[in-house]
Amino acid sequence: MSNNNIQWIAYKTVLYRELHRIFRIWKQTLLPPAITISLYFLIFGNFIGQRIGQFQGVPYINFIVPGLIMMAVITNSFGNVVASFYGVRFQKNIEEMQVSPMSSAVMLLGYITGGVARGMMIGVIVTFISLFFSKLTIFSLGVTIYTMVLTSTLFALAGLINAIFAKSFDDTTIVLNFVLTPLTYLGGVFYSIKMLPPIWKKISLLNPILHLVSIFRYGFLGIADVPVYETLTGLTLLIIALGIWTHWLLKKGVGIRT
Amino acid sequence: MTTAIKIQDLRKIYSNDFEALKGINLSVEKGEFFGLLGPNGAGKSTIIGIICSLVSKTSGDVKIAGYDIEKNPTEAKRKLGVVPQEFNFNIFEHCEHIVINQAGYYGVPRAIAKARAKILFEELGLTDKSHVAAGKLSGGLKRRLMIARALIHEPEILILDEPTAGVDIALRRSMWQYISGLNQKGLTVILTTHYLEEAEALCNRLAIIDQGRIIADSPTQELLQKLHSETIILYGEFPEIIPELVGFSLRKIDDQTLEVDLLNQQSIDIVMAHLSHHNIPIHRMKNKANRLEEMFVRLVEEAHVQ
């Protein structure tokens, strides 16, 4: 059997195992984000949104739907990989993969695809739920899907890096709770940065999540606070750079080999 | 006979500057049942870790079936199956999934892996546990599951790192019977164990490691022949004074117990005949200590003196 065949079967196995994990613990992986985001739609979109009325030329609920979908995609693609990879490190069953001929590139791809799959699944579920609260419009399907794939890839990679360096379970929640969640809330999910004073507008532009939310919203509504195609190109390059670094970390055995 | 594992000048210095391996040279031939013995912290697990790519070496070469573990990792790893010392599977996963996934990591298609898992589970008495979460198995069954997992890709070499630690006697025997059977069919087995009687009974070749150095490496019987003497305990009914036997050291422990030191060239028959001649009945006898244990302790003590 050729090495390519071995690596292909190994990749399918990691992906199968990751998907199996997502569905095995669906009450932890798929249900909570659906409930949380439904509450956001209900409270911010319906109750408060009806009082706000139109926002940047669209109903407020329509304005916040893309940001809320993005929020769910980010936290779930990140959370899936950080929990799964730290779990195999903690239980030492990462050794099952280390002793095998599976390459570090396949290990990387397997986990990232698992994270992207969970992010996309949640994205689809939340989008479906949003239909109960708003009339969905798609301005550019290509930008919408591409942004969702890139975002889940970026945060799956971030989750993997977090899991590689984590020394305890506490370390796996710090980034999510103290970095990603605040950045998401400050990333223009519920407002446009055009409303902010100039200094806060400039500071907000340093927040990468703002750019993601903004171009994702462009995909739905055709309105954005940042240049769309430049952001997509930058995001793609960032993913390539992070992917190369993460592969190097796995190949060197950082966090997984003494 | 060709070489299954060849280790040359292997050194390992951990990040805390501890030098675990100080230039190990070791060779395991195909088809051997090879034992690697040593006290705690001697370097056994580091060697196994490096062979299995779980520990990075500082310098030296390791070849598995002729393939360098760094230059040809895919080929080298395919030859190897590993049963680690500690349970290292996902305790929430079903036993069958654990084994089939492991096959997948080695490039074995799922349908073939399923068929192999069925056979292995039957042989190892795990059939009724196929769909049970691994964490719910008893300690002995977890060990068997790790053996099934290590064999699923049909390796040429099986590494067993302290596989019977904490396993009851009946299970240990059945496990060894199974592994010995595989060895007789051509599987090379490398065993690290603390149970020296186990190593003496199973291994046809032994290496002893201490403080990061190999202090003995030879066929088991050859190693045991280096013992100059052994002590036999005789149980019987002994008089107040034991009649002297020239050239032999006899020590009365109590009225029912007598210890005899036998040099290599001396036979216990002479002692038995002597006691019988003086109408001293002997009911049974046994070795005071396991022969390999004596050898092991002596070699380690000598290494520490040097």
Side-chain angles (χ1 to χ4, degrees):
Chain A
M1 183 180 275
S2 74
N3 187 35
N4 283 347
N5 267 350
I6 292 173
Q7 300 305 331
W8 172 238
I9 293 171
Y11 168 73
K12 285 196 294 183
T13 305
V14 178
L15 182 57
Y16 172 87
R17 200 200 57 202
E18 286 301 288
L19 293 176
H20 187 259
R21 176 184 165 276
I22 292 169
F23 289 117
R24 180 167 49 86
I25 52 170
W26 63 274
K27 287 177 207 162
Q28 293 171 51
T29 53
L30 301 177
L31 193 59
I35 292 172
T36 310
I37 300 296
S38 297
L39 289 172
Y40 275 111
F41 287 144
L42 190 68
I43 296 164
F44 289 93
N46 256 21
F47 300 159
I48 299 173
Q50 278 174 1
R51 289 171 185 265
I52 294 171
Q54 293 281 310
F55 193 85
Q56 292 204 330
V58 293
Y60 185 65
I61 179 90
N62 287 20
F63 180 83
I64 65 169
V65 161
L68 289 173
I69 295 170
M70 193 48 68
M71 191 161 91
V73 170
I74 289 170
T75 50
N76 282 280
S77 51
F78 181 92
N80 192 72
V81 181
V82 78
S84 179
F85 195 78
Y86 186 74
V88 298
R89 274 187 62 205
F90 181 77
Q91 291 198 83
K92 291 197 170 187
N93 54 313
I94 193 165
E95 292 177 0
E96 292 175 343
M97 292 180 278
Q98 284 178 285
V99 300
S100 79
M102 183 199 299
S103 71
S104 39
V106 164
M107 198 191 289
L108 171 73
L109 282 175
Y111 275 94
I112 298 307
T113 321
V116 170
R118 163 115 170 250
M120 298 291 282
M121 272 187 247
I122 294 296
V124 170
I125 290 170
V126 172
T127 306
F128 179 73
I129 292 170
S130 76
L131 295 175
F132 292 99
F133 299 91
S134 70
K135 198 177 166 195
L136 193 70
T137 58
I138 300 283
F139 178 76
S140 167
L141 188 62
V143 170
T144 307
I145 292 174
Y146 191 55
T147 307
M148 200 192 268
V149 172
L150 285 189
T151 305
S152 48
T153 307
L154 178 68
F155 286 93
L157 271 168
L160 187 56
I161 293 166
N162 187 170
I164 287 171
F165 288 107
K167 289 189 164 53
S168 67
F169 271 109
D170 287 347
D171 294 345
T172 64
T173 57
I174 286 171
V175 175
L176 194 58
N177 290 336
F178 298 105
V179 181
L180 286 185
T181 306
L183 286 181
T184 308
Y185 281 101
L186 297 170
V189 173
F190 300 102
Y191 57 86
S192 164
I193 57 164
K194 286 173 184 160
M195 298 163 61
L196 300 176
I199 180 70
W200 285 110
K201 192 175 166 185
K202 279 186 181 169
I203 292 171
S204 290
L205 285 170
L206 297 173
N207 178 359
I209 293 177
L210 179 128
H211 296 254
L212 299 174
V213 169
S214 195
I215 55 171
F216 195 56
R217 184 174 289 133
Y218 174 84
F220 280 90
L221 305 173
I223 51 172
D225 290 336
V226 295
V228 175
Y229 293 100
E230 289 85 336
T231 305
L232 284 174
T233 309
L235 187 59
T236 308
L237 293 174
L238 178 64
I239 287 170
I240 292 169
L242 275 181
I244 291 169
W245 184 51
T246 315
H247 179 240
W248 180 83
L249 290 173
L250 289 175
K251 201 167 179 152
K252 287 285 284 180
V254 176
I256 56 174
R257 208 163 41 221
T258 49
Chain B
M1 214 180 239
T2 45
T3 307
I5 290 186
K6 191 164 183 63
I7 298 173
Q8 284 177 303
D9 199 23
L10 185 64
R11 290 170 195 275
K12 173 66 185 176
I13 303 170
Y14 282 102
S15 54
N16 60 1
D17 290 335
F18 173 67
E19 193 176 7
L21 302 179
K22 299 166 181 166
I24 298 288
N25 291 296
L26 211 56
S27 188
V28 180
E29 302 305 320
K30 275 190 182 168
E32 272 190 327
F33 205 129
F34 181 87
L36 182 61
L37 312 176
N40 286 335
K44 300 186 298 290
S45 293
T46 303
I47 294 181
I48 299 297
I50 291 172
I51 294 172
C52 303
S53 307
L54 298 174
V55 176
S56 306
K57 62 188 169 70
T58 304
S59 65
D61 292 314
V62 178
K63 283 183 180 166
I64 299 168
Y67 297 105
D68 188 286
I69 57 165
E70 283 190 339
K71 291 173 191 154
N72 296 93
T74 306
E75 290 304 324
K77 286 175 170 185
R78 281 179 75 186
K79 307 286 179 190
L80 214 59
V82 188
V83 180
Q85 197 170 339
E86 291 171 28
F87 302 126
N88 67 343
F89 36 65
N90 184 343
I91 55 170
F92 303 109
E93 255 182 298
H94 288 180
C95 298
E96 192 187 39
H97 287 164
I98 287 173
V99 173
I100 292 172
N101 284 345
Q102 185 70 15
Y105 303 151
Y106 283 84
V108 179
R110 218 163 176 82
I112 296 173
K114 269 189 179 176
R116 283 188 196 169
K118 194 168 178 276
I119 294 168
L120 280 169
F121 278 22
E122 275 169 16
E123 288 174 352
L124 287 156
L126 286 165
T127 304
D128 59 334
K129 307 291 178 194
S130 299
H131 301 291
V132 172
K136 290 184 179 165
L137 299 183
S138 67
L141 289 175
K142 282 177 183 164
R143 291 272 168 211
R144 292 194 220 177
L145 176 61
M146 292 208 293
I147 292 174
R149 187 183 61 177
L151 294 171
I152 191 72
H153 62 285
E154 297 183 339
E156 291 176 15
I157 303 158
L158 181 67
I159 293 184
L160 301 150
D161 192 6
E162 309 257 359
T164 47
V167 172
D168 67 56
I169 295 167
L171 181 61
R172 206 187 303 168
R173 280 188 185 157
S174 70
M175 195 186 281
W176 287 131
Q177 210 172 357
Y178 182 68
I179 302 288
S180 294
L182 295 174
N183 175 246
Q184 279 157 19
K185 287 178 193 162
L187 181 76
T188 306
V189 181
I190 298 171
L191 164 74
T192 75
T193 181
H194 275 122
Y195 298 108
L196 299 181
E197 69 277 16
E198 203 166 77
E200 184 178 344
L202 292 164
C203 301
N204 43 31
R205 190 175 162 79
L206 291 171
I208 298 176
I209 181 171
D210 185 48
Q211 297 179 330
R213 287 193 177 88
I214 298 289
I215 55 172
D217 179 8
S218 57
T220 309
Q221 289 312 314
E222 213 172 277
L223 192 71
L224 291 170
Q225 276 167 15
K226 288 180 188 167
L227 271 174
H228 299 303
S229 69
E230 59 184 315
T231 303
I232 308 289
I233 302 175
L234 301 178
Y235 297 97
E237 292 155 30
F238 300 106
E240 193 72 29
I241 296 166
I242 303 292
E244 195 182 338
L245 178 61
V246 179
F248 287 84
S249 165
L250 309 178
R251 286 183 307 281
K252 186 183 164 192
I253 306 301
D254 55 41
D255 288 347
Q256 280 86 42
T257 318
L258 182 75
E259 282 188 3
V260 184
D261 292 334
L262 280 181
L263 297 174
N264 258 355
Q265 68 277 16
Q266 292 177 325
S267 167
I268 189 70
D269 285 350
I270 297 168
V271 179
M272 300 300 264
H274 172 69
L275 295 173
S276 175
H277 178 71
H278 289 89
N279 295 320
I280 299 172
I282 303 297
H283 302 315
R284 55 200 169 86
M285 58 185 273
K286 70 165 192 178
N287 271 55
K288 186 175 182 183
N290 173 272
R291 293 185 306 153
L292 184 58
E293 195 171 309
E294 278 184 45
M295 186 49 141
F296 178 80
V297 170
R298 183 180 302 172
L299 286 169
V300 170
E301 279 173 359
E302 281 172 10
H304 281 228
V305 170
Q306 284 164 16

